[in-house]
Amino acid sequence: MAAPNTWTPSSWKSKPAAQGVAYPDEEHLSKVLTKISTLPPLVTPSEIERLRYQLGQVERGDAFLLHAGDCAESFDACTSENIANKIGMYFVFTSTFTYLVTAYRPIAASAMAANSALRSMFAAAFPLFAGAMYRRLGTVGATALLAGLTAVMAPLPQVSFFSACRL
């Protein structure tokens, strides 16, 4: 039998902190938590319902889910510029994926399978160097580099398809 839903806005305080953060100024922490408690929710009920509907579409196989996330290196890294950069990266990946599936629909399944290892390696390695890349190259340089890589990789499904035919 499932446990009853006992979530409350303050129930997080009773949970164990597996990766606890030491706050040196408890008074300041208390002020911040008080301020946060007065702010409106980050997500509206209609957004929650929309997400439930969309996840239901994924579950039924009527939609595709691309999950993107990030672990901030520090609280100072949570800036609007960094968030905008990461959202930009998400749009680069989703637009490339959409283009590949649309342009190469007849061979999309075999092309995606043929490129799975390359995409998986890039996806696993990207979080390791993304922060450093944006710091060293700046927003314009790093985004230009990624756009160039995207342009270079766009024909890979076609190349993989013709290569697979010869195997």
Side-chain angles (χ1 to χ4, degrees), residues 15-31:
K15 306 295 182 198
Q19 297 176 337
V21 177
Y23 295 101
D25 187 346
E26 290 291 327
E27 185 178 330
H28 182 67
L29 174 62
S30 178
K31 287 179 184 177

PDB file of all heavy atoms in Angstrom, residues 15-31:
ATOM      1  N   LYS A  15      13.640  15.653   5.452  1.00  0.00           N
ATOM      2  CA  LYS A  15      14.341  14.675   4.621  1.00  0.00           C
ATOM      3  C   LYS A  15      15.847  14.707   4.921  1.00  0.00           C
ATOM      4  O   LYS A  15      16.398  15.753   5.258  1.00  0.00           O
ATOM      5  CB  LYS A  15      14.121  14.965   3.138  1.00  0.00           C
ATOM      6  CG  LYS A  15      12.676  15.073   2.718  1.00  0.00           C
ATOM      7  CD  LYS A  15      11.957  13.768   2.868  1.00  0.00           C
ATOM      8  CE  LYS A  15      10.516  13.901   2.399  1.00  0.00           C
ATOM      9  NZ  LYS A  15       9.669  12.874   2.852  1.00  0.00           N
ATOM     10  N   PRO A  16      16.526  13.557   4.771  1.00  0.00           N
ATOM     11  CA  PRO A  16      17.983  13.543   4.986  1.00  0.00           C
ATOM     12  C   PRO A  16      18.692  14.315   3.873  1.00  0.00           C
ATOM     13  O   PRO A  16      18.286  14.250   2.719  1.00  0.00           O
ATOM     14  CB  PRO A  16      18.346  12.059   4.944  1.00  0.00           C
ATOM     15  CG  PRO A  16      17.236  11.411   4.181  1.00  0.00           C
ATOM     16  CD  PRO A  16      16.009  12.240   4.445  1.00  0.00           C
ATOM     17  N   ALA A  17      19.712  15.046   4.229  1.00  0.00           N
ATOM     18  CA  ALA A  17      20.493  15.823   3.265  1.00  0.00           C
ATOM     19  C   ALA A  17      21.725  15.007   2.872  1.00  0.00           C
ATOM     20  O   ALA A  17      22.720  14.968   3.579  1.00  0.00           O
ATOM     21  CB  ALA A  17      20.914  17.159   3.871  1.00  0.00           C
ATOM     22  N   ALA A  18      21.622  14.317   1.726  1.00  0.00           N
ATOM     23  CA  ALA A  18      22.709  13.453   1.272  1.00  0.00           C
ATOM     24  C   ALA A  18      23.924  14.272   0.829  1.00  0.00           C
ATOM     25  O   ALA A  18      25.056  13.824   0.945  1.00  0.00           O
ATOM     26  CB  ALA A  18      22.234  12.566   0.128  1.00  0.00           C
ATOM     27  N   GLN A  19      23.697  15.459   0.309  1.00  0.00           N
ATOM     28  CA  GLN A  19      24.786  16.320  -0.136  1.00  0.00           C
ATOM     29  C   GLN A  19      24.581  17.692   0.499  1.00  0.00           C
ATOM     30  O   GLN A  19      24.368  18.680  -0.179  1.00  0.00           O
ATOM     31  CB  GLN A  19      24.810  16.431  -1.653  1.00  0.00           C
ATOM     32  CG  GLN A  19      25.068  15.106  -2.333  1.00  0.00           C
ATOM     33  CD  GLN A  19      24.982  15.227  -3.842  1.00  0.00           C
ATOM     34  OE1 GLN A  19      24.359  16.116  -4.374  1.00  0.00           O
ATOM     35  NE2 GLN A  19      25.629  14.310  -4.527  1.00  0.00           N
ATOM     36  N   GLY A  20      24.648  17.709   1.782  1.00  0.00           N
ATOM     37  CA  GLY A  20      24.348  18.928   2.517  1.00  0.00           C
ATOM     38  C   GLY A  20      25.304  20.071   2.221  1.00  0.00           C
ATOM     39  O   GLY A  20      26.464  19.876   1.907  1.00  0.00           O
ATOM     40  N   VAL A  21      24.761  21.256   2.318  1.00  0.00           N
ATOM     41  CA  VAL A  21      25.542  22.479   2.152  1.00  0.00           C
ATOM     42  C   VAL A  21      25.623  23.154   3.510  1.00  0.00           C
ATOM     43  O   VAL A  21      24.608  23.295   4.196  1.00  0.00           O
ATOM     44  CB  VAL A  21      24.860  23.426   1.135  1.00  0.00           C
ATOM     45  CG1 VAL A  21      25.630  24.729   1.017  1.00  0.00           C
ATOM     46  CG2 VAL A  21      24.728  22.740  -0.213  1.00  0.00           C
ATOM     47  N   ALA A  22      26.817  23.535   3.896  1.00  0.00           N
ATOM     48  CA  ALA A  22      26.988  24.236   5.170  1.00  0.00           C
ATOM     49  C   ALA A  22      26.740  25.727   4.947  1.00  0.00           C
ATOM     50  O   ALA A  22      27.403  26.358   4.134  1.00  0.00           O
ATOM     51  CB  ALA A  22      28.397  24.013   5.699  1.00  0.00           C
ATOM     52  N   TYR A  23      25.749  26.250   5.634  1.00  0.00           N
ATOM     53  CA  TYR A  23      25.434  27.672   5.538  1.00  0.00           C
ATOM     54  C   TYR A  23      26.047  28.363   6.755  1.00  0.00           C
ATOM     55  O   TYR A  23      25.589  28.150   7.884  1.00  0.00           O
ATOM     56  CB  TYR A  23      23.922  27.901   5.504  1.00  0.00           C
ATOM     57  CG  TYR A  23      23.271  27.328   4.268  1.00  0.00           C
ATOM     58  CD1 TYR A  23      22.590  26.119   4.317  1.00  0.00           C
ATOM     59  CD2 TYR A  23      23.362  27.990   3.056  1.00  0.00           C
ATOM     60  CE1 TYR A  23      21.998  25.592   3.184  1.00  0.00           C
ATOM     61  CE2 TYR A  23      22.774  27.466   1.914  1.00  0.00           C
ATOM     62  CZ  TYR A  23      22.098  26.272   1.985  1.00  0.00           C
ATOM     63  OH  TYR A  23      21.518  25.750   0.861  1.00  0.00           O
ATOM     64  N   PRO A  24      27.051  29.190   6.552  1.00  0.00           N
ATOM     65  CA  PRO A  24      27.751  29.788   7.686  1.00  0.00           C
ATOM     66  C   PRO A  24      26.914  30.812   8.461  1.00  0.00           C
ATOM     67  O   PRO A  24      27.147  31.036   9.634  1.00  0.00           O
ATOM     68  CB  PRO A  24      28.972  30.458   7.048  1.00  0.00           C
ATOM     69  CG  PRO A  24      28.623  30.639   5.612  1.00  0.00           C
ATOM     70  CD  PRO A  24      27.649  29.559   5.272  1.00  0.00           C
ATOM     71  N   ASP A  25      25.940  31.401   7.810  1.00  0.00           N
ATOM     72  CA  ASP A  25      25.142  32.442   8.452  1.00  0.00           C
ATOM     73  C   ASP A  25      23.687  31.972   8.536  1.00  0.00           C
ATOM     74  O   ASP A  25      22.901  32.165   7.611  1.00  0.00           O
ATOM     75  CB  ASP A  25      25.252  33.739   7.647  1.00  0.00           C
ATOM     76  CG  ASP A  25      24.595  34.922   8.332  1.00  0.00           C
ATOM     77  OD1 ASP A  25      23.831  34.714   9.303  1.00  0.00           O
ATOM     78  OD2 ASP A  25      24.850  36.062   7.895  1.00  0.00           O
ATOM     79  N   GLU A  26      23.333  31.356   9.663  1.00  0.00           N
ATOM     80  CA  GLU A  26      21.982  30.813   9.843  1.00  0.00           C
ATOM     81  C   GLU A  26      20.918  31.904   9.807  1.00  0.00           C
ATOM     82  O   GLU A  26      19.810  31.691   9.328  1.00  0.00           O
ATOM     83  CB  GLU A  26      21.891  30.031  11.159  1.00  0.00           C
ATOM     84  CG  GLU A  26      22.657  28.723  11.143  1.00  0.00           C
ATOM     85  CD  GLU A  26      22.032  27.693  10.222  1.00  0.00           C
ATOM     86  OE1 GLU A  26      20.792  27.672  10.078  1.00  0.00           O
ATOM     87  OE2 GLU A  26      22.789  26.901   9.633  1.00  0.00           O
ATOM     88  N   GLU A  27      21.257  33.075  10.294  1.00  0.00           N
ATOM     89  CA  GLU A  27      20.291  34.180  10.295  1.00  0.00           C
ATOM     90  C   GLU A  27      19.958  34.606   8.866  1.00  0.00           C
ATOM     91  O   GLU A  27      18.797  34.814   8.513  1.00  0.00           O
ATOM     92  CB  GLU A  27      20.856  35.375  11.085  1.00  0.00           C
ATOM     93  CG  GLU A  27      19.866  36.518  11.227  1.00  0.00           C
ATOM     94  CD  GLU A  27      20.429  37.666  12.056  1.00  0.00           C
ATOM     95  OE1 GLU A  27      21.260  37.416  12.950  1.00  0.00           O
ATOM     96  OE2 GLU A  27      20.026  38.804  11.786  1.00  0.00           O
ATOM     97  N   HIS A  28      21.005  34.707   8.036  1.00  0.00           N
ATOM     98  CA  HIS A  28      20.785  35.073   6.635  1.00  0.00           C
ATOM     99  C   HIS A  28      19.980  33.977   5.922  1.00  0.00           C
ATOM    100  O   HIS A  28      19.078  34.277   5.139  1.00  0.00           O
ATOM    101  CB  HIS A  28      22.120  35.295   5.923  1.00  0.00           C
ATOM    102  CG  HIS A  28      21.981  35.725   4.498  1.00  0.00           C
ATOM    103  ND1 HIS A  28      21.449  36.934   4.128  1.00  0.00           N
ATOM    104  CD2 HIS A  28      22.279  35.078   3.347  1.00  0.00           C
ATOM    105  CE1 HIS A  28      21.430  37.032   2.823  1.00  0.00           C
ATOM    106  NE2 HIS A  28      21.934  35.900   2.314  1.00  0.00           N
ATOM    107  N   LEU A  29      20.290  32.719   6.210  1.00  0.00           N
ATOM    108  CA  LEU A  29      19.548  31.605   5.639  1.00  0.00           C
ATOM    109  C   LEU A  29      18.074  31.711   6.011  1.00  0.00           C
ATOM    110  O   LEU A  29      17.194  31.549   5.164  1.00  0.00           O
ATOM    111  CB  LEU A  29      20.126  30.271   6.113  1.00  0.00           C
ATOM    112  CG  LEU A  29      19.348  29.025   5.700  1.00  0.00           C
ATOM    113  CD1 LEU A  29      19.310  28.869   4.190  1.00  0.00           C
ATOM    114  CD2 LEU A  29      19.938  27.792   6.371  1.00  0.00           C
ATOM    115  N   SER A  30      17.806  32.010   7.252  1.00  0.00           N
ATOM    116  CA  SER A  30      16.429  32.138   7.708  1.00  0.00           C
ATOM    117  C   SER A  30      15.710  33.261   6.966  1.00  0.00           C
ATOM    118  O   SER A  30      14.552  33.104   6.564  1.00  0.00           O
ATOM    119  CB  SER A  30      16.408  32.389   9.210  1.00  0.00           C
ATOM    120  OG  SER A  30      15.091  32.566   9.646  1.00  0.00           O
ATOM    121  N   LYS A  31      16.380  34.390   6.755  1.00  0.00           N
ATOM    122  CA  LYS A  31      15.786  35.512   6.020  1.00  0.00           C
ATOM    123  C   LYS A  31      15.477  35.119   4.578  1.00  0.00           C
ATOM    124  O   LYS A  31      14.419  35.457   4.039  1.00  0.00           O
ATOM    125  CB  LYS A  31      16.722  36.717   6.046  1.00  0.00           C
ATOM    126  CG  LYS A  31      16.798  37.407   7.384  1.00  0.00           C
ATOM    127  CD  LYS A  31      17.765  38.577   7.331  1.00  0.00           C
ATOM    128  CE  LYS A  31      17.912  39.218   8.701  1.00  0.00           C
ATOM    129  NZ  LYS A  31      18.902  40.306   8.691  1.00  0.00           N
TER     130      LYS A  31
END
